[in-house]
Amino acid sequence: MSLLTTGFLGFLLPWPRFCLENTDPRMRGRGIQLLSQVLLQCYSLLQEKEVLHLVLFYESRLQDHHLVIPSVLQGLRALSMCEVLSPGLAVSVLKAIFQEVHVQSLMQLDRHTVYSIITNFMSTREEELKGLGADFTFGFIQVMDGEKDPRNLLVAFQIVRDLIAKDYSLGPFVEELFEVTSCYFPVDFTPPPNDPHGIQREDLILSLRAVLASTPQFAEFLLPLLIEKLDSELQSAKLDSLQTLTACCAIYGQKELQEFLPSLWSSLRREVFQTASEKIEAECLAALHALSACLSRSVLSSDSEDLLDSFLSSILQDCRHHLCEPDMKLVWPSAKLLQAAAGASLRTYHRITRSVLPLLLEQYTKHTQSSQRRTILEMLLGFLELQQKWGHVEEDESTLLSLQDPVCSVVFSALTDPSVQLQLVGIKALTVLGSLQGFLSSSGLELVVDHLIRLALHEEDSQSSEAAMEAAGSLAPTYPEVFSGRMVPRLEEELQSEREESYHNHRSLQQRCLQALAAVSTHTSIVRDTVPVLLQHLQKVQKGTEARNTEDMVSVCQSLHRVALQCQQDVEGCWYFHQTVVPCLLAMAVQAAMQESTHTLPGKALLEEEVLAAMIPVISAATTHLSPELAAQSVSHVVPLFLNGEVSFLPQNSFPCSFQPFGDGECLEAQRRLVALLMAFVCSLPRDVAIPQQEWLLRELLALSCSCNCPFTATTAAKCFAGLVNKHPAGQQLDEILQLAVNRMEPGLAEGPHRTQALTLLLWVTKALVLRYHPLSSCLTDKLLGLLGDTELGPTAADGFSLLMAESPDVLHKGCHADVRIMFRQRFFTDNVPKLVQGFHGAGPDVKANYLKGLSHVLNHLPKPVLVTELPTLLSLLLEALSCSDRVVQLSTLSCLHPLLLEAPQIMSLHVDTLVTKFLNLTSSPTMAVRIAALRCAHALTSLPTTVLLPYKGRVIRALAKPLDDKKRLVRKEAVAARGEWFLLGSPGR
C-alpha cells in the first residue's frame, strides 16, 4: 500500500506547505529536507504516479535559492533508487541537474550526492541515458570539471570507466573527457593523519589508471603525456607513467602506438641505461615487454608496415653492439632490454635470438676470464629460460636448435671450469636445456647425467655439488629412464665401493652419494630404484662395528626423509615408500632391540637417541599423506606389533625372542625405546583413522611415561599419549583417560623418584589440550603455574611454557593432522599471563626467576601485533627480567624486546634510560648469545626518536668500543653494526 493512499504523505505534504512556500530560503530548505529524509526511508513503497509528481516538484526546486539545492539533491537521490520510475524521468532529472546546478560550487557531500544520482541512473536506466548521446557525456564533464575531493574522485573515476566500458557515446568530447581526468595525473595526494575515510594515494592511482587505460581513443592524448612525465625528474611520476603505459598496451594496437614508438623506445632505453632505481628499471622492462607483446598481437594487412619488425630492429641496433664492448659496462642493461622484448611473444623471441645468440656464443669463446664468461653465460641463460615459455623446441623456426652443438659446448665447458660461480651458472643452464623437450639428444642426455654425477660426488666445493643434486632432481621427472638407468647404478656403485683413501674422504663421498640418491628421487619409478639402495646401505651400516655407525645411520635416515617428503604429493609413490620403508625400519629396530635384550650380535647404534630421532621424521613423513584407507590398512599392523608383539608383517621376521615394549623388566629397556617409532607413526595418522585397541594403548603409554627411568623413553611415551589425546573424539572415553592421567600425575608430581617424568607428561598433555581448547587445559595449566614455586621442578616448569607455545617438530602440529585451533596462543596469553604476573609479585626471591622465565617464553611466541597492544602493562616486568641472572631469561627477554623496539618505538622511548643501561650491561655477559642479542637490541634502539636518543649517544659509543675487541667474531660483527648506527645518529639525511 502506498504512502499517499495511507494518507501519511498526504498529511505530511500540506503540513510543511508553510515551509515550502515561505519566502525565507532557509525555511523552504528545511521543508524540503524533511520531505527528502522521509523519501530516503520509504522510496521503495512509492507508486509510479507518486514518483512522477515528486520528480516534477524536485526538478522545479532546482531553480530555487542555492541554500535549498542540497536538500533537493537528497530527494532526487532517493527518487533515483525507485524501481517504478517512469521512462524519460531519469533523462529529465539529469538534464535539469546539468542545466540548473553548478555542481563544483556545492559542498563535498552534495557533490557526492550528484555523483550517486548519476551512478544510480547508469545502473538502472542505461538505455535511456544512452539515448541522450554525447550530451550525457558532456553534461558529466561539466559536473566533474574541477573536482578535488578524493572521495568524490573515486566515484567520478568509476563513472568515467562505466561510460567507456558500457559504450556510451563520447561524440566529439573524447579530448574533453580525457582532459577532465588526466589533469590529476600523476596523482599527488597524501592522506591526512588519522584520516577516517582510509583513502590512500594508491587507491586514486589505480582508479585513475583504470580510466586512462580504458580506451584506445585516449591514446593520441595520453601517450605524449606519458612521454613527458617519463622525461621528468620526479621518480613517482616516472613509475606511474611506466605502469600506465604497461596497462594501456593491453588494449592498444599498432595504429595507436605507431606515431609514438620512437619516443617511447628512446625514453625506456635512457631510463634503463641511466637510472639508479631498480623499481624504475623493472617498470621500464615491463613496459617494453608490454609494447612488444602489443605489436605482436596486431594483425597485419598486406599493405601495412610491419611495426614489430622495425621496432625490434631499433632495439637490436641500440643494444646489440654493447654486448661486444670490452669494458662490458652496458652489457647487463642491454641484455635486460633484449630479454624483455624477446619474452613478449614467440615471434619476438625468434627475431631477437636469431641476432643475439650467435653473438653471445662468439663472445664467450673470445673472452678467457671466468668472470666475463660468467656474465655472458648468465645472459645466455636468460634467453634459454625464455624458451621455456614456449615449450617444445620447433625445428623449423628455432635459432636455439640450430645452435645446439655450440650451446651445449659452452655450457659443458662452464661445468669443468675451476670457477665455482661459473659452474653454478652452467648448472642452471644445464637444467634449462634439459627442460626443453626435444633439444637434447640421447647422447647429450647421457653426457648431462655424467656431468651431474661428477659435480655431485667429486666437486670440492659444496655449492656446486648441491646445485648439481638439485639439478638432477629437477630433470629426473622429465627423463626418469635415463636417471634410473645411468645415475642410480653409478651412485649405488660408489656407495658400495671400498676405496683405499682416507677415512674422511671416503665418508664424504658416501655422504654425497646418499644425498644424491635422495635428490634424484623425484619420480616414482626412480624411487623404486633408490629406496632399496638406501635401505640396503642402512642394513650394511647396522651390521658394522665402527664408531661412525651412528653418524652414518643418521645420514641414511636424512636421505630417506627427503625422499619421503618428495613422495608425499604422489599417491603411488607415497604408498610404495610407506609400505617399503616403514616395515623395514621397524624390523631393523626390533631386531636391534632384541639383540640388546639377549646380549647377542651388535646392533646398538640403531638404538641410539640420535638414530631413533632421525627415524621419527622418516616414518612421520611417510604416514601423514596416506589416504584414510591405506592408513587404516597400515595401522592394523603397526599397533598390534607394539601391543601384542605381532611381527608377521615385518620383513625377515625371525627374531630371537618376543617383542614386548610395554613389558616389565630391565632387559626390555631397549625395546621400550622403540615407542619413539610408534609415536612417529600413530601421531601422524589422519584424524579420521581409527586406531585399534586405542584405550589399551593409551593406558600403556601413560604407565610407561610415568614409571620409566629412561628420559628419552618416558618423553616419547608422553608425547605419543598427548598426540593421541589431542585427536581423540570428545566424550566419556576421553574424559576417563584424562582423569586417569591426572590421577597418575598428581602423586608423581608431589613426591617420589619420577617427578621429572610426571612433569614432562603434564607439559605434553597440557599442550595437547590447550591446542584444542579442551576445558581441562586451564586446570592443568594452573598445576603448571603452581610448580613455578617449586625449587626443584620450578626451572623446568618455566621452560615448559616455551614447549606450550612453540611449534613442536614431531607431534601436535597441523602437518600431522593435530587438532590446532586458531589463535590458541592469544587465548593462552589472555588466560594465564595475569596469573604469571600475580605469581611473580607474590613469589619468594629464590623462585621469582621462574615466573619471569615463563612470562618471557609466552611473550616470545606471541604474535607481535598482540604483544605491542599489551606492552605498556608488561614492559616493567620485561625490564626487570633483564636483571635476572638466568641467561635463558635474559636471552628470551632480549629476543622479545628486539622487535618491539622496531614496532613500538614511541612506547619504548618512555623507558630509554633503563633500556640503554640494561643493554650495555649485557654486552659484557659471559654468554656469547646474550652479548649478541644485547648488541642487536642496542642497534635497534636507533629506531627510537632521535631527540630521545641524542643525550645517550656519547655514552653508548664509548660502551660499544669494548665489544669491538671481543674474542668472538660474531660479537664483533654485531658491535660494529650497532656502533656505526649510533655514530650516524643525528647526522643530516639519516
Side-chain angles (χ1 to χ4, degrees):
M1 186 178 294
S2 78
L3 290 176
L4 283 182
T5 54
T6 61
F8 175 69
L9 195 57
F11 162 76
L12 182 66
L13 287 174
W15 179 75
R17 179 173 295 175
F18 72 95
C19 295
L20 299 177
E21 296 178 352
N22 198 293
T23 57
D24 183 358
R26 290 180 178 81
M27 189 63 71
R28 293 200 303 278
R30 288 175 186 171
I32 295 176
Q33 183 182 22
L34 175 61
L35 177 60
S36 297
Q37 287 174 344
V38 172
L39 291 176
L40 283 168
Q41 297 299 319
C42 63
Y43 65 86
S44 61
L45 303 176
L46 295 173
Q47 292 185 354
E48 184 175 347
K49 188 175 180 181
E50 296 163 356
V51 174
L52 172 61
H53 289 301
L54 287 167
V55 167
L56 294 176
F57 167 74
Y58 274 104
E59 283 183 5
S60 67
R61 292 299 91 201
L62 287 174
Q63 300 174 4
D64 206 333
H65 194 277
H66 69 87
L67 292 175
V68 177
I69 298 303
S71 298
V72 174
L73 292 173
Q74 288 294 339
L76 288 173
R77 183 167 73 90
L79 296 172
S80 71
M81 294 185 283
C82 291
E83 295 182 3
V84 294
L85 197 70
S86 301
L89 286 184
V91 171
S92 176
V93 169
L94 290 180
K95 279 185 175 181
I97 292 175
F98 293 160
Q99 183 175 344
E100 303 295 343
V101 182
H102 184 247
V103 175
Q104 289 306 313
S105 66
L106 301 174
M107 299 293 287
Q108 179 271 327
L109 181 61
D110 303 324
R111 301 198 304 275
H112 193 278
T113 301
V114 174
Y115 295 127
S116 298
I117 293 170
I118 295 172
T119 300
N120 291 339
F121 283 148
M122 288 181 72
S123 62
T124 60
R125 298 290 188 274
E126 181 178 333
E127 293 306 319
E128 290 181 36
L129 300 190
K130 286 183 177 179
L132 277 172
D135 289 344
F136 175 60
T137 302
F138 180 68
F140 172 74
I141 291 171
Q142 289 180 308
V143 167
M144 182 184 174
D145 193 11
E147 181 60 66
K148 294 180 180 178
D149 191 276
R151 292 164 288 180
N152 291 347
L153 284 173
L154 287 177
V155 182
F157 290 156
Q158 181 61 54
I159 292 173
V160 178
R161 291 206 298 275
D162 288 342
L163 279 173
I164 294 168
K166 295 180 179 179
D167 203 24
Y168 282 78
S169 173
L170 305 185
F173 304 117
V174 174
E175 185 173 1
E176 286 77 2
L177 186 62
F178 173 78
E179 292 295 339
V180 83
T181 51
S182 65
C183 62
Y184 303 100
F185 183 86
V187 172
D188 182 18
F189 169 69
T190 303
N194 304 317
D195 179 18
H197 307 293
I199 296 175
Q200 299 297 317
R201 178 172 176 267
E202 191 67 18
D203 299 327
L204 290 168
I205 288 174
L206 295 175
S207 188
L208 176 58
R209 184 178 301 153
V211 170
L212 298 178
S214 61
T215 174
Q217 296 180 74
F218 284 166
E220 60 179 304
F221 315 114
L222 177 59
L223 290 175
L225 176 64
L226 296 181
I227 293 169
E228 175 191 336
K229 300 302 180 184
L230 266 176
D231 296 341
S232 72
E233 296 299 322
L234 193 62
Q235 297 291 301
S236 60
K238 289 177 185 285
L239 281 172
D240 205 352
S241 300
L242 290 165
Q243 290 166 352
T244 303
L245 175 60
T246 301
C248 290
C249 287
I251 62 165
Y252 285 3
Q254 275 200 174
K255 184 178 73 171
E256 288 77 24
L257 293 173
Q258 183 169 9
E259 180 183 349
F260 305 100
L261 278 176
S263 298
L264 287 170
W265 163 239
S266 177
S267 297
L268 294 175
R269 181 191 63 217
R270 182 193 65 247
E271 291 300 324
V272 173
F273 280 172
Q274 297 178 4
T275 187
S277 167
E278 292 184 4
K279 282 186 178 179
I280 289 180
E281 180 187 89
E283 294 299 339
C284 281
L285 297 175
L288 179 59
H289 178 95
L291 281 170
S292 302
C294 176
L295 296 174
S296 299
R297 287 193 305 269
S298 300
V299 179
L300 296 175
S301 59
S302 58
D303 57 345
S304 63
E305 180 187 357
D306 187 352
L307 279 184
L308 176 63
D309 190 67
S310 58
F311 183 60
L312 296 179
S313 296
S314 298
I315 296 174
L316 286 166
Q317 181 180 348
D318 291 342
C319 295
R320 190 176 182 274
H321 65 278
H322 289 304
L323 304 180
C324 308
E325 291 176 354
D327 57 4
M328 304 185 84
K329 274 186 179 179
L330 294 175
V331 161
W332 266 120
S334 299
K336 289 177 180 178
L337 287 167
L338 290 165
Q339 288 169 4
S345 68
L346 189 57
R347 187 179 167 208
T348 60
Y349 179 78
H350 287 320
R351 174 72 175 84
I352 288 179
T353 53
R354 189 162 61 244
S355 174
V356 172
L357 288 189
L359 180 64
L360 289 176
L361 295 171
E362 177 188 328
Q363 291 299 306
Y364 184 91
T365 307
K366 180 179 176 182
H367 289 87
T368 56
Q369 292 184 14
S370 295
S371 59
Q372 293 174 324
R373 285 190 160 192
R374 189 189 79 185
T375 299
I376 295 167
L377 187 56
E378 284 176 337
M379 290 188 287
L380 180 62
L381 173 61
F383 287 103
L384 295 177
E385 288 172 337
L386 290 176
Q387 176 68 59
Q388 288 180 302
K389 291 174 62 176
W390 319 118
H392 190 80
V393 181
E394 300 291 341
E395 292 186 19
D396 55 342
E397 295 186 58
S398 176
T399 304
L400 189 58
L401 200 60
S402 65
L403 297 171
Q404 181 180 18
D405 290 340
V407 167
C408 288
S409 175
V410 162
V411 172
F412 292 154
S413 74
L415 299 178
T416 56
D417 193 273
S419 167
V420 173
Q421 297 305 314
L422 182 54
Q423 285 181 15
L424 292 175
V425 181
I427 292 169
K428 289 181 183 177
L430 193 69
T431 307
V432 174
L433 289 179
S435 68
L436 301 176
Q437 290 285 340
F439 182 79
L440 293 174
S441 63
S442 57
S443 59
L445 275 172
E446 291 178 354
L447 193 55
V448 166
V449 173
D450 291 343
H451 275 294
L452 291 177
I453 294 172
R454 177 184 58 78
L455 289 166
L457 300 186
H458 304 295
E459 178 56 45
E460 289 185 12
D461 190 89
S462 61
Q463 290 184 79
S464 295
S465 174
E466 291 168 7
M469 293 181 197
E470 292 298 325
S474 176
L475 293 176
T478 308
Y479 310 102
E481 298 85 3
V482 178
F483 280 88
S484 284
R486 194 169 185 88
M487 188 168 191
V488 175
R490 287 274 299 278
L491 293 173
E492 182 180 7
E493 180 184 338
E494 292 283 0
L495 190 62
Q496 294 175 350
S497 64
E498 298 292 339
R499 296 173 178 268
E500 294 183 3
E501 53 189 337
S502 69
Y503 160 75
H504 173 76
N505 289 340
H506 179 65
R507 187 160 182 276
S508 175
L509 178 62
Q510 287 204 329
Q511 291 270 10
R512 287 193 175 186
C513 286
L514 294 172
Q515 293 168 1
L517 283 166
V520 79
S521 301
T522 51
H523 188 275
T524 302
S525 64
I526 301 175
V527 170
R528 292 178 181 275
D529 292 330
T530 55
V531 164
V533 174
L534 291 170
L535 292 176
Q536 182 182 357
H537 185 68
L538 183 63
Q539 291 167 339
K540 176 183 174 183
V541 174
Q542 182 194 13
K543 295 173 183 177
T545 57
E546 295 91 341
R548 63 185 175 86
N549 282 8
T550 298
E551 295 177 12
D552 288 346
M553 286 183 175
V554 170
S555 297
V556 180
C557 289
Q558 289 171 344
S559 292
L560 286 169
H561 181 227
R562 178 171 180 175
V563 178
L565 294 175
Q566 291 166 178
C567 289
Q568 285 181 338
Q569 302 308 318
D570 177 67
V571 176
E572 180 187 350
C574 183
W575 178 236
Y576 167 79
F577 184 91
H578 181 89
Q579 66 177 350
T580 304
V581 173
V582 173
C584 183
L585 293 183
L586 290 173
M588 292 173 64
V590 170
Q591 179 74 39
M594 290 182 177
Q595 290 172 354
E596 182 76 7
S597 302
T598 56
H599 307 288
T600 56
L601 297 172
K604 188 174 181 180
L606 199 62
L607 303 176
E608 296 287 342
E609 286 184 25
E610 283 183 76
V611 178
L612 291 174
M615 285 185 176
I616 288 171
V618 179
I619 295 175
S620 179
T623 306
T624 53
H625 284 64
L626 288 180
S627 67
E629 297 76 19
L630 295 177
Q633 182 179 332
S634 188
V635 76
S636 65
H637 296 302
V638 176
V639 172
L641 168 67
F642 283 84
L643 289 178
N644 308 106
E646 179 54 61
V647 298
S648 59
F649 81 102
L650 298 178
Q652 302 172 352
N653 53 22
S654 176
F655 301 113
C657 62
S658 60
F659 183 56
Q660 299 174 309
F662 294 115
D664 297 325
E666 289 186 14
C667 64
L668 298 176
E669 179 56 42
Q671 296 188 19
R672 284 194 282 270
R673 294 169 74 83
L674 302 193
V675 169
L677 305 185
L678 172 67
M679 175 200 75
F681 176 77
V682 295
C683 291
S684 301
L685 292 168
R687 250 185 277 175
D688 53 354
V689 174
I691 297 175
Q693 303 170 298
Q694 184 170 12
E695 306 310 312
W696 178 17
L697 177 61
L698 284 167
R699 291 173 186 272
E700 294 286 6
L701 290 168
L702 181 60
L704 185 61
S705 65
C706 291
S707 60
C708 184
N709 293 320
C710 172
F712 175 79
T713 302
T715 301
T716 53
K719 290 162 73 173
C720 189
F721 179 83
L724 293 174
V725 162
N726 173 264
K727 298 180 186 179
H728 198 294
Q732 184 179 354
Q733 284 186 331
L734 178 61
D735 295 340
E736 289 175 358
I737 199 68
L738 288 175
Q739 187 58 52
L740 182 62
V742 171
N743 294 342
R744 291 294 296 265
M745 284 188 286
E746 286 182 338
L749 290 168
E751 58 183 0
H754 296 118
R755 295 188 75 200
T756 303
Q757 288 90 326
L759 175 57
T760 301
L761 178 63
L762 172 63
L763 286 169
W764 282 103
V765 174
T766 303
K767 182 178 179 70
L769 300 183
V770 164
L771 292 179
R772 64 180 282 178
Y773 290 175
H774 192 279
L776 187 60
S777 62
S778 58
C779 175
L780 297 183
T781 306
D782 289 342
K783 291 183 186 296
L784 188 59
L785 288 165
L787 289 172
L788 292 176
D790 188 293
T791 53
E792 179 188 353
L793 295 181
T796 308
D799 285 331
F801 281 89
S802 175
L803 185 150
L804 296 180
M805 299 292 284
E807 184 88 0
S808 175
D810 43 13
V811 295
L812 296 177
H813 60 85
K814 289 184 178 180
C816 63
H817 312 289
D819 186 355
V820 181
R821 306 296 175 88
I822 60 171
M823 300 179 69
F824 78 89
R825 292 183 178 90
Q826 290 89 320
R827 179 169 176 170
F828 187 87
F829 170 86
T830 304
D831 292 345
N832 297 292
V833 164
K835 298 176 185 177
L836 278 168
V837 174
Q838 182 181 358
F840 169 80
H841 290 304
D846 55 336
V847 294
K848 273 184 177 289
N850 296 336
Y851 290 90
L852 288 176
K853 186 188 292 188
L855 177 65
S856 62
H857 282 315
V858 173
L859 298 182
N860 228 4
H861 291 92
L862 197 66
K864 292 303 176 283
V866 179
L867 184 54
V868 168
T869 60
E870 302 291 337
L871 185 58
T873 59
L874 296 171
L875 189 54
S876 59
L877 264 182
L878 288 172
L879 294 176
E880 191 166 347
L882 290 178
S883 302
C884 178
S885 59
D886 190 312
R887 63 185 181 184
V888 176
V889 175
Q890 293 173 348
L891 190 58
S892 183
T893 307
L894 288 168
S895 301
C896 183
L897 287 172
H898 183 267
L900 295 176
L901 290 165
L902 305 174
E903 296 174 23
Q906 297 302 326
I907 299 174
M908 301 297 280
S909 62
L910 300 175
H911 303 266
V912 64
D913 188 72
T914 307
L915 289 168
V916 168
T917 302
K918 301 283 189 186
F919 293 158
L920 294 182
N921 288 341
L922 290 174
T923 58
S924 301
S925 167
T927 305
M928 183 184 76
V930 173
R931 298 201 300 276
I932 291 174
L935 287 166
R936 286 176 179 165
C937 286
H939 188 168
L941 274 174
T942 58
S943 63
L944 271 55
T946 303
T947 53
V948 175
L949 297 176
L950 281 176
Y952 302 92
K953 180 176 178 179
R955 174 187 168 190
V956 173
I957 289 174
R958 287 191 299 273
L960 292 180
K962 182 181 177 182
L964 291 176
D965 296 324
D966 196 281
K967 59 184 179 182
K968 296 295 185 181
R969 182 184 63 82
L970 294 176
V971 177
R972 297 196 300 271
K973 178 182 175 184
E974 294 295 338
V976 169
R979 198 163 186 257
E981 279 299 310
W982 277 91
F983 262 117
L984 294 173
L985 192 70
S987 59
R990 182 182 177 274

